[in-house]
Amino acid sequence: ITSKFMEVKDMLELTINDKVYEFHFGFGFLKEINKRVVMPLEGAKDVKKNVGLQFAVASVIDGDVEQLADVLDAANKGCVPRVTRKDLEQYIESTDDIDALFKSVLDFLKTSNCCKKVTLEFLALVEAKRTEDPER
């Protein structure tokens, strides 16, 4: 398994087993990732809100490898070629610099028009918590 990734203007490209795969963080990604975590909306009976993006951002910040795979899987959905989950997981498992992969994914979440507001707000909350409790 090769361990190469490259950032392109509108997408992340990963080379997995000598094949280049695209990962887009647009509306398709947002709809896919959001529906994965649903919670009741406070004060609104029988109304639920999709919060998968918030959960995904928090998990990527925390270094959750399984969630990293979920995020990349959702970002590749609808792309051709489509990477298999098995190949994606093997790529993550064998990459030489997983920290750089996490950073790259987080950077795309911070700059994507569909994801940046939620991502930047969440990062600001995390930074505020770190300022309050530096040992955290």
Side-chain angles (χ1 to χ4, degrees):
I1 293 179
T2 57
S3 182
K4 176 185 171 196
F5 59 93
M6 179 173 70
E7 296 179 23
V8 179
K9 185 178 185 219
D10 296 330
M11 72 192 138
L12 173 67
E13 286 186 346
L14 298 178
T15 302
I16 301 171
N17 295 330
D18 298 320
K19 190 180 249 183
V20 177
Y21 295 94
E22 296 177 354
F23 298 83
H24 296 270
F25 294 87
F27 267 111
F29 166 77
L30 180 62
K31 288 192 260 185
E32 178 64 28
I33 203 73
N34 254 346
K35 71 182 180 183
R36 295 182 181 191
V37 179
V38 179
M39 63 181 266
L41 190 59
E42 191 175 323
K45 186 180 181 206
D46 298 326
V47 177
K48 296 186 178 182
K49 180 177 179 167
N50 294 335
V51 293
L53 180 60
Q54 290 91 328
F55 181 79
V57 169
S59 297
V60 169
I61 291 169
D62 286 344
D64 183 327
V65 176
E66 191 173 5
Q67 189 63 34
L68 176 65
D70 286 347
V71 167
L72 288 170
D73 184 56
N76 181 247
K77 189 170 183 178
C79 296
V80 176
R82 177 87 164 113
V83 67
T84 66
R85 182 64 184 228
K86 180 181 177 185
D87 285 347
L88 182 59
E89 289 174 358
Q90 287 177 338
Y91 171 80
I92 292 170
E93 188 174 303
S94 66
T95 189
D96 294 333
D97 192 352
I98 195 163
D99 293 330
L101 182 57
F102 272 108
K103 181 185 179 316
S104 187
V105 168
L106 191 57
D107 286 347
F108 270 92
L109 292 170
K110 289 190 303 191
T111 59
S112 162
N113 281 340
C114 297
C115 305
K116 70 181 171 184
K117 183 172 179 12
V118 168
T119 303
L120 293 173
E121 286 175 358
F122 197 84
L123 284 167
L125 287 173
V126 168
E127 191 55 38
K129 281 282 187 199
R130 284 187 182 146
T131 302
E132 289 173 15
D133 185 5
E135 292 187 26
R136 200 159 185 241

